[in-house]
Amino acid sequence: MDKKFKRLTACVFSAILLCTAIPVTSDAAPKVKSKGYVAGNLTLFPQLDVNVGEKVTVTATIAKHGKIKGDAEFRFTGPDEDLVMEDVKVIEGKEQYEVTGTFTPSEKGKYEIKLMLTMKGEEKDEIQGAASGLIRVGDEWKYFFVADKDNKLKGTIYKDKLVNESPMKVSQANQVTGKIFRGNQEIYYLQVNEPTAEKGLQKGSLYKVKQGSSTPEAVKFAGDKLTSFVMDESDMYFTAYTVDNRAMLYKAKINSDKKEEVLENVDYATVSNGWYYFHDSRDQRLYKMKLDGTEKTKLTKDDTKIDVSKGGSFEVYTDAIAYVDSSSRHVLISKEGKHLQDGKQIKGKITDVVGGNIFYLDSDKALYRTQLASDKTEKIMDLKSDSIVEINIPAQYILYAKTNNELYKVQWK
């Protein structure tokens, strides 16, 4: 790479010498004195186990040496050289430029990403800024928690690539609640502190396990009274109780040690497609709000209350929201708050609502589909698994772990 860069440098420098050797007329633009170079930093998110088809965010910083001339130029070297950097933005600071963009690799392999940025100084000289980084794209990892047979409050986190090999142990853990999220060089999960609680909000602590380690580390700045946790790209969002018992919605950057207050009186929240969906601890109703804090909208009616401290709950799916109100009534509403149905025919756990259908697991460990507009029900698949890891309705597959903790994938049409 260094040899290629040096050859590129020599060619560009030679071209500049040829151009500056040509006499200029009185009305011509001032000639460029010389061209220098400055190296910047380029980081990628995520770096851990990047998958084909997964969006990667690029952030580059280059020291400021004048005004930018032209556009920021990204170049790719790797299996898919037709990749295009999207959503490119340049932020000018006092001492540096920050350039961000995203791309989605479609093939496995090693990629080099290089940024070229031309700056024009006060004395008409040009400075070429350059930053580069490497990323490997491979098979998809799945992370899952399997409870111990003798003690369901403890278990093991595994990761698996869905190939003919045994899953790899990541870490021992106590009861994990919610999804296991993948960060840059680590995984994050919420661990319950009081697993014996039967109903209501369970308070937990946030843990992370770094790549190459099997020892969980508590994310101390988040506290030990978290009631929900979700990650979206390079940001994390969580609800927690403060020392004076106020429910608060927070956000923070991954690998940060600081949290930022977003909204008070929120005891449970999730994030989907650029929106917060959350429960207000005062009026016990559901709301949504954009991630920038605008367009706060009430989703439930004034006569509806959802007391999460007594077992009420809500879940956001692809095309709908399901909640259990204080009268133990199951209700489906759209993401705009429109009533869809009371869900009386659903006797199991909803896994997704998409395409006019409700998908749910019944007590017989079978996956069913019922139409929103009618009571027609169809059994899709019998599941004899010990531990269901993921049900992906849009992609039509189910992951489950057998008694030997091997991960299996089943698809349907």
Side-chain angles (χ1 to χ4, degrees), residues 13 22 32 50 61 67 90 99 119 132 152 169 188 210 270 318 337 344 351 360 366 374 379 410:
F13 190 70
I22 301 174
V32 175
V50 176
T61 55
K67 292 294 183 181
V90 179
V99 185
M119 295 170 282
S132 64
K152 299 298 182 183
K169 287 186 179 180
Y188 289 84
K210 293 181 180 179
T270 189
T318 303
K344 294 179 180 179
T351 61
Y360 65 95
S374 71
K379 180 186 285 189
V410 179

Side-chain angles (χ1 to χ4, degrees), residues 318-320 352-359 369-373 393-394:
T318 303
D319 292 340
D352 205 353
V353 181
V354 59
N357 293 295
I358 307 170
F359 295 82
R369 170 172 49 206
T370 182
Q371 296 177 0
L372 272 169
I393 299 300

Side-chain angles (χ1 to χ4, degrees), residues 392-408:
N392 191 313
I393 299 300
Q396 297 185 320
Y397 70 74
I398 299 172
L399 298 179
Y400 64 94
K402 288 190 174 182
T403 54
N404 59 0
N405 295 338
E406 290 183 358
L407 195 61
Y408 290 83

Side-chain angles (χ1 to χ4, degrees), residues 136-208:
R136 293 184 182 274
V137 179
D139 294 312
E140 184 175 9
W141 286 100
K142 290 292 180 181
Y143 291 84
F144 59 102
F145 174 79
V146 178
D148 293 342
K149 292 181 180 179
D150 300 330
N151 186 353
K152 299 298 182 183
L153 303 182
K154 294 184 178 182
T156 305
I157 295 174
Y158 291 86
K159 68 177 180 178
D160 192 272
K161 277 192 175 182
L162 303 181
V163 294
N164 295 324
E165 299 175 1
S166 298
M168 298 174 60
K169 287 186 179 180
V170 176
S171 171
Q172 296 297 121
N174 289 333
Q175 184 178 353
V176 173
T177 177
K179 185 179 177 182
I180 299 172
F181 293 92
R182 184 164 52 91
N184 203 353
Q185 294 286 340
E186 62 281 308
I187 61 170
Y188 289 84
Y189 61 90
L190 190 59
Q191 182 172 286
V192 177
N193 290 333
E194 300 176 6
T196 55
E198 294 182 358
K199 288 186 177 181
L201 289 173
Q202 291 183 307
K203 297 180 177 65
S205 298
L206 183 61
Y207 283 83
K208 67 178 179 180

Side-chain angles (χ1 to χ4, degrees), residues 315-374:
E315 191 76 35
V316 177
Y317 300 105
T318 303
D319 292 340
I321 300 171
Y323 68 82
V324 180
D325 64 17
S326 297
S327 301
S328 299
R329 187 173 62 120
H330 292 255
V331 180
L332 275 177
I333 60 175
S334 70
K335 288 187 173 180
E336 289 69 44
K338 179 183 177 182
H339 181 272
L340 298 177
Q341 65 166 239
D342 290 342
K344 294 179 180 179
Q345 74 270 33
I346 300 174
K347 299 180 176 61
K349 176 179 173 54
I350 297 176
T351 61
D352 205 353
V353 181
V354 59
N357 293 295
I358 307 170
F359 295 82
Y360 65 95
L361 287 170
D362 209 339
S363 57
D364 60 356
K365 283 193 173 181
L367 181 65
Y368 290 86
R369 170 172 49 206
T370 182
Q371 296 177 0
L372 272 169
S374 71

Side-chain angles (χ1 to χ4, degrees), residues 54-178:
E54 181 177 11
K55 184 169 71 172
V56 179
T57 301
V58 178
T59 302
T61 55
I62 294 177
K64 188 175 178 182
H65 287 273
K67 292 294 183 181
I68 294 179
K69 179 181 178 182
D71 297 324
E73 181 183 356
F74 282 98
R75 301 173 186 173
F76 291 92
T77 303
D80 183 4
E81 296 193 8
D82 292 330
L83 277 173
V84 176
M85 191 69 70
E86 299 178 339
D87 304 320
V88 177
K89 297 178 182 178
V90 179
I91 300 175
E92 181 179 355
K94 291 183 178 180
E95 298 181 352
Q96 67 180 20
Y97 288 105
E98 181 181 271
V99 185
T100 60
T102 63
F103 69 95
T104 305
S106 60
E107 297 182 30
K108 300 177 185 178
K110 181 180 177 182
Y111 292 81
E112 180 186 9
I113 303 96
K114 182 179 291 185
L115 167 67
M116 307 295 288
L117 191 69
T118 302
M119 295 170 282
K120 197 168 186 178
E122 294 180 357
E123 298 181 1
K124 310 304 180 184
D125 55 333
E126 286 188 357
I127 303 293
Q128 186 76 61
S132 64
L134 297 174
I135 193 169
R136 293 184 182 274
V137 179
D139 294 312
E140 184 175 9
W141 286 100
K142 290 292 180 181
Y143 291 84
F144 59 102
F145 174 79
V146 178
D148 293 342
K149 292 181 180 179
D150 300 330
N151 186 353
K152 299 298 182 183
L153 303 182
K154 294 184 178 182
T156 305
I157 295 174
Y158 291 86
K159 68 177 180 178
D160 192 272
K161 277 192 175 182
L162 303 181
V163 294
N164 295 324
E165 299 175 1
S166 298
M168 298 174 60
K169 287 186 179 180
V170 176
S171 171
Q172 296 297 121
N174 289 333
Q175 184 178 353
V176 173
T177 177

